[in-house]
Amino acid sequence: MDEGLFREKLAIDSMRQGKGDVSESALAPAINTDVGTFRCHRGRLEKLLQEGQDIRWEHTVQNVTASSQGIVVQLKDAKPLDAEVLIGTDGVHSQIRKSLAPKIELKVLPFVVFNGKRQFAKAEYQAVFEPTLGTRTIVHERHDDIILEISINEYTPKHVDISYTYSRPAREDDPLHKPDRAIPGATDIPEAFYNELDDLKDLQQPFKAVFDAVKVRRDRVLHWLMRSTLGSPAEVDHLAKQGVLLVGDAVHAMPILGGEGANNAMKDGVDLAQHIVNHGTGSLQEFTDAKYETWKKGVEESERRLGEMHGQAKASL
């Protein structure tokens, strides 16, 4: 598939004959955008990547053990799997990492972030959004240290789906900063959040329509924790010697804002595939040795960007 067809199939605005173009200035985190960078529709990209693959859904990993006898993956409601090599791509809450490298812990960064989703009828979108957005698919606005961001997720003939993000640094005794909350607690939205939305003054469209506290209460809103992690070289090497390789957010997680976690995870997959073609699966340690400094730099830069986008000259994370 050539690049033109690839963008035509996946660009977020392909239904409007767009190509998903995005400029560096459109991104609040100031992520570098090389020539050819575009915003794609995540669902369509996942569907494309699944083509021709043997993917078995509804299997939950409960525990993993590794010894000189091999690797055993314990599954919920299914027989264990035996393996000589295990690639852990199970994300920031990786059960593989928790089982085999529990000392690699997640760090919660001191930021408050809420994300919501909403659908607008096409006519309302054209009246409220297009005068400001034009053909752009991301727009953001700063209010002191608060960042408001709106992203277009899907265009259809009848409606437009958006997501929006409210973010700021955590404050002293902050009722909205809950670094120790359980994973299911992401849907528990404190009243203080809606109070902060009410305190936003002089918002222009489309921010006025999107960040209306009354309307936000009706949306599916999630409290996002800005997490990062990076296993030490010794920890990563120890896993590789056992035939276990963690990639993507499972081993070098970046905060959702300011990070490029999904892009880097896919890059890990491409690089690993090429490594296996060239060297087989018996040299996983060589792969981690070659990638580690890139992983380390990516995590550090994502934390720095998160601070800088909120007006912190140097993030003390």
Side-chain angles (χ1 to χ4, degrees):
M1 182 184 299
D2 64 28
E3 182 179 348
L5 180 58
F6 183 76
R7 292 184 69 154
E8 182 180 326
K9 289 174 67 73
L10 300 182
I12 199 77
D13 53 356
S14 61
M15 290 196 67
R16 302 178 64 182
Q17 288 71 54
K19 296 183 179 180
D21 293 330
V22 58
S23 66
E24 192 169 321
S25 61
L27 299 176
I31 293 174
N32 293 328
T33 53
D34 298 328
V35 175
T37 298
F38 75 102
R39 285 193 68 219
C40 75
H41 186 280
R42 181 167 182 165
R44 295 201 296 269
L45 174 61
E46 291 177 351
K47 186 176 180 180
L48 178 65
L49 294 176
Q50 291 167 16
E51 289 181 2
Q53 305 302 314
D54 180 14
I55 300 175
R56 305 184 186 186
W57 304 105
E58 299 179 5
H59 288 71
T60 301
V61 175
Q62 290 190 311
N63 189 46
V64 182
T65 57
S67 67
S68 58
Q69 304 301 312
I71 302 164
V72 179
V73 180
Q74 301 287 343
L75 301 174
K76 182 180 180 180
D77 301 325
K79 294 181 179 179
L81 299 176
D82 298 322
E84 296 181 1
V85 174
L86 178 62
I87 309 300
T89 63
D90 49 342
V92 67
H93 299 295
S94 170
Q95 186 59 47
I96 298 172
R97 184 188 68 236
K98 292 176 183 178
S99 296
L100 298 178
K103 292 184 179 180
I104 303 178
E105 297 183 341
L106 293 174
K107 176 170 59 172
V108 178
L109 307 175
F111 292 86
V112 167
V113 183
F114 291 90
N115 174 266
K117 293 179 170 58
R118 196 180 308 161
Q119 187 176 96
F120 286 83
K122 185 176 180 179
E124 184 179 7
Y125 176 83
Q126 291 173 331
V128 174
F129 288 78
E130 286 193 346
T132 299
L133 267 70
T135 60
R136 291 179 295 171
T137 62
I138 300 179
V139 64
H140 68 273
E141 183 171 277
R142 178 189 296 275
H143 293 260
D144 296 324
D145 60 356
I146 297 170
I147 298 290
L148 308 178
E149 182 172 282
I150 301 171
S151 301
I152 308 305
N153 290 343
E154 176 90 82
Y155 293 95
T156 77
K158 295 184 178 180
H159 63 260
V160 178
D161 294 333
I162 72 156
S163 65
Y164 55 90
T165 303
Y166 174 100
S167 62
R168 62 165 175 77
R171 297 163 184 159
E172 187 175 355
D173 298 324
D174 197 325
L176 299 184
H177 184 53
K178 300 179 179 295
D180 299 321
R181 70 153 174 80
I183 295 174
T187 57
D188 297 333
I189 310 302
E191 187 66 24
F193 169 58
Y194 302 109
N195 294 339
E196 289 195 12
L197 292 182
D198 283 331
D199 289 339
L200 293 171
K201 305 300 182 183
D202 302 321
L203 294 183
Q204 302 300 310
Q205 297 292 22
F207 298 96
K208 183 177 180 179
V210 171
F211 291 94
D212 181 318
V214 174
K215 296 176 182 177
V216 171
R217 286 178 184 274
R218 299 196 294 261
D219 295 336
R220 182 178 184 270
V221 177
L222 296 177
H223 172 217
W224 280 353
L225 293 180
M226 297 296 100
R227 300 181 176 98
S228 67
T229 193
L230 180 67
S232 69
E235 290 167 322
V236 173
D237 284 351
H238 178 68
L239 290 173
K241 289 176 182 178
Q242 296 177 298
V244 178
L245 176 62
L246 300 177
V247 294
D249 281 351
V251 69
H252 58 98
M254 302 178 184
I256 302 172
L257 299 183
E260 299 176 274
N263 289 343
N264 281 280
M266 288 187 286
K267 183 68 164 57
D268 282 353
V270 172
D271 291 345
L272 177 59
Q274 189 61 56
H275 179 85
I276 292 174
V277 168
N278 294 338
H279 307 288
T281 58
S283 58
L284 296 182
Q285 191 174 355
E286 293 179 12
F287 178 80
T288 59
D289 289 345
K291 293 285 290 186
Y292 190 82
E293 284 305 314
T294 299
W295 291 347
K296 182 173 182 288
K297 181 180 179 182
V299 172
E300 291 174 346
E301 289 187 349
S302 69
E303 293 181 354
R304 173 185 56 79
R305 282 194 296 264
L306 180 60
E308 290 180 351
M309 68 182 277
H310 290 91
Q312 297 177 345
K314 183 176 181 181
S316 56
L317 305 178

